[in-house]
Amino acid sequence: YGALYNHPVEGLVLDTVGGLVAMYGGMMSCSTAAWLMNFATIKTVLDHCGYVFPVNPLHDCFPNTTKYHDIHHDFRFIKKN
């Protein structure tokens, strides 16, 4: 999962603590929180994979798609997004 590559401390603080805050702040059950974290991981990997699949229902629901991330990570367009 290259989309989630970060320093171990950053992963602990942002991913683990952020997941706990979302779980307890949203008063989710463990199964609902696990579903949310799995969905977030799948969405992140799909957005950063670089492929534009012909059928992807997530692209119809969310504006930040693979094409957005191609522009977002392009250093030439850093001031335009």
Side-chain angles (χ1 to χ4, degrees), residues 38-60:
N38 284 321
F39 175 77
T41 301
I42 291 167
K43 173 86 170 88
T44 301
V45 171
L46 282 175
D47 286 346
H48 286 87
C49 71
Y51 294 112
V52 179
F53 298 107
V55 177
N56 187 346
L58 294 178
H59 287 175
D60 295 332

Side-chain angles (χ1 to χ4, degrees), residues 2-80:
L4 300 174
Y5 177 75
N6 52 7
H7 190 275
V9 174
E10 182 184 7
L12 177 68
V13 172
L14 294 178
D15 299 337
T16 306
V17 175
L20 289 172
V21 168
M23 180 179 162
Y24 289 116
M27 295 182 279
M28 297 181 205
S29 66
C30 288
S31 60
T32 304
W35 184 89
L36 176 66
M37 295 309 140
N38 284 321
F39 175 77
T41 301
I42 291 167
K43 173 86 170 88
T44 301
V45 171
L46 282 175
D47 286 346
H48 286 87
C49 71
Y51 294 112
V52 179
F53 298 107
V55 177
N56 187 346
L58 294 178
H59 287 175
D60 295 332
C61 300
F62 300 99
N64 56 339
T65 62
T66 303
K67 290 180 183 179
Y68 165 80
H69 277 87
D70 286 346
I71 295 169
H72 171 74
H73 289 289
D74 190 355
F75 68 92
R76 294 175 295 174
F77 301 112
I78 198 162
K79 301 291 183 195
K80 295 185 180 184

